[in-house]
Amino acid sequence: MNKTFSRIKTQSLNRLDLSKKGSVDEDIEHVVSLLNSCEQFFTTSSCSGRIILIDKAAGSSDAHKQNCVWLFVSHQKCTCDDLMSGLSRSCGDAVLKFEPFILHVQCRRLEDAQLLHSVAVNSGFRNSGLTVGKTGKIVSAVRSTHGLEVPLSCHGKLLVDEDYIQFLTQIANQKMEENLRRVQRLAFWSLQENQHHLMFFQNLQSAMSAERQHISDTLGTQEHQDSQHTHKKGRRGEQGTNKQNEINLNKRRPQHETDSCHGYEDSSLPELDDCLDLFT
């Protein structure tokens, strides 16, 4: 399984980026690099967040972006002029959208996916989730919920005035700012109003470091227990030989010596070490 995952990871990371942009968004490069540097993760898709204006066929209920004309797209804040320029080219039903940060990560084990999911949720990405495919493929989706979708035109005719477009521009930019703040939680600790807020990036680093330390401690404890167990087995072997000698000796003693309580406990009850082994 480990070799298979490593092979799939190598193939995936070496594959051509098929997104419209063709590269990882600058604002999340550090997060993607961190995850891909860990042997138990690799990213399959990502978006730092974007403001888009799309034009779908007039009267169509199909809102899939691949079937629409992209009038405007930005991974940063936009201006009212940007949106008005895009709307001037609308021939169908124009829709303004803000789509927040999203990240898909394939994980080696379910425990790794659970770790990433826990960190994501605790860092504010409460729309995150896990999927497990029929072939055992495990994917963690890191995402939030503060999106925006507003229809602006119908059959190429603008439905609102420019003041409303200006208002929507402010709303979309506010959401982009909030989105970038959440992305920064992937990167560092923030001190705000004298309170430490745990941010996703260092939270993830700390969680993985703790996981590695736990594994190391567990292995060390197991080695110590194995050593102690081997030592106990040697002691019990010696005690068994001594008890056998006592039994043979008792067989040669007179009957009144073998009926003592001490002799009965030695020959019939388990040793203390044997009892303790039941709890180790």
Side-chain angles (χ1 to χ4, degrees):
M1 178 64 181
N2 290 346
K3 292 183 178 180
T4 301
F5 181 86
S6 298
R7 176 175 54 80
I8 295 174
K9 176 177 180 177
T10 300
Q11 292 174 347
S12 178
L13 295 181
N14 290 335
R15 193 176 301 150
L16 182 66
D17 191 329
L18 299 178
S19 65
K20 285 182 177 291
K21 185 181 178 188
S23 62
V24 176
D25 296 336
E26 182 179 354
D27 288 322
I28 58 172
E29 281 181 342
H30 54 305
V31 179
V32 171
S33 296
L34 167 68
L35 291 169
N36 288 334
S37 69
C38 302
E39 63 177 14
Q40 64 266 46
F41 303 115
F42 68 90
T43 59
T44 59
S45 65
S46 64
C47 178
S48 63
R50 61 191 179 186
I51 299 171
I52 60 175
L53 185 64
I54 60 176
D55 202 27
K56 63 181 182 177
S60 172
S61 60
D62 186 2
H64 293 295
K65 290 186 289 293
Q66 60 266 30
N67 299 323
C68 301
V69 176
W70 291 58
L71 302 174
F72 173 78
V73 59
S74 174
H75 294 274
Q76 303 294 331
K77 293 190 292 184
C78 67
T79 67
C80 180
D81 289 342
D82 292 328
L83 299 183
M84 291 300 297
S85 176
L87 286 169
S88 68
R89 301 192 302 274
S90 173
C91 298
D93 297 344
V95 178
L96 174 67
K97 290 187 176 185
F98 170 74
E99 297 179 334
F101 166 81
I102 188 169
L103 180 69
H104 290 99
V105 183
Q106 189 163 337
C107 308
R108 183 186 296 270
R109 305 171 305 164
L110 184 58
E111 297 93 318
D112 301 323
Q114 290 171 330
L115 173 65
L116 181 59
H117 176 74
S118 176
V119 171
V121 171
N122 290 336
S123 299
F125 296 91
R126 303 194 181 279
N127 198 34
S128 299
L130 304 176
T131 60
V132 180
K134 293 181 180 179
T135 61
K137 179 180 178 181
I138 304 169
V139 175
S140 176
V142 180
R143 57 199 177 198
S144 56
T145 59
H146 65 299
L148 175 70
E149 182 171 348
V150 184
L152 297 178
S153 72
C154 180
H155 298 279
K157 181 181 178 181
L158 193 62
L159 300 174
V160 296
D161 58 23
E162 188 171 346
D163 287 341
Y164 187 70
I165 302 298
Q166 180 67 53
F167 171 73
L168 285 180
T169 302
Q170 296 175 2
I171 297 298
N173 286 338
Q174 288 172 2
K175 287 183 175 292
M176 178 61 79
E177 290 175 354
E178 171 61 22
N179 181 73
L180 294 177
R181 280 195 292 270
R182 295 189 185 190
V183 170
Q184 290 306 313
R185 294 173 189 172
L186 308 175
F188 55 88
W189 287 83
S190 173
L191 185 62
Q192 184 178 18
E193 297 176 356
N194 297 324
Q195 292 183 352
H196 288 284
H197 293 271
L198 188 60
M199 300 307 172
F200 181 94
F201 186 76
Q202 286 200 346
N203 194 359
L204 180 60
Q205 285 182 315
S206 299
M208 289 190 298
S209 176
E211 178 77 4
R212 287 193 294 267
Q213 185 61 45
H214 173 70
I215 293 173
S216 176
D217 292 344
T218 300
L219 291 176
T221 301
Q222 185 62 46
E223 290 177 357
H224 177 72
Q225 290 176 342
D226 290 344
S227 174
Q228 291 292 100
H229 183 65
T230 302
H231 179 65
K232 288 181 180 181
K233 286 177 65 178
R235 288 171 53 195
R236 288 200 298 270
E238 294 176 359
Q239 292 168 354
T241 302
N242 292 336
K243 283 194 279 186
Q244 185 62 42
N245 291 338
E246 289 184 14
I247 292 172
N248 294 335
L249 180 60
N250 287 336
K251 288 180 180 179
R252 295 193 296 268
R253 288 179 181 172
Q255 184 64 35
H256 68 274
E257 293 183 8
T258 60
D259 287 339
S260 66
C261 292
H262 179 74
Y264 176 81
E265 293 175 351
D266 284 343
S267 61
S268 302
L269 295 181
E271 291 291 320
L272 179 61
D273 285 338
D274 295 327
C275 294
L276 292 177
D277 283 344
L278 297 175
F279 300 94
T280 60

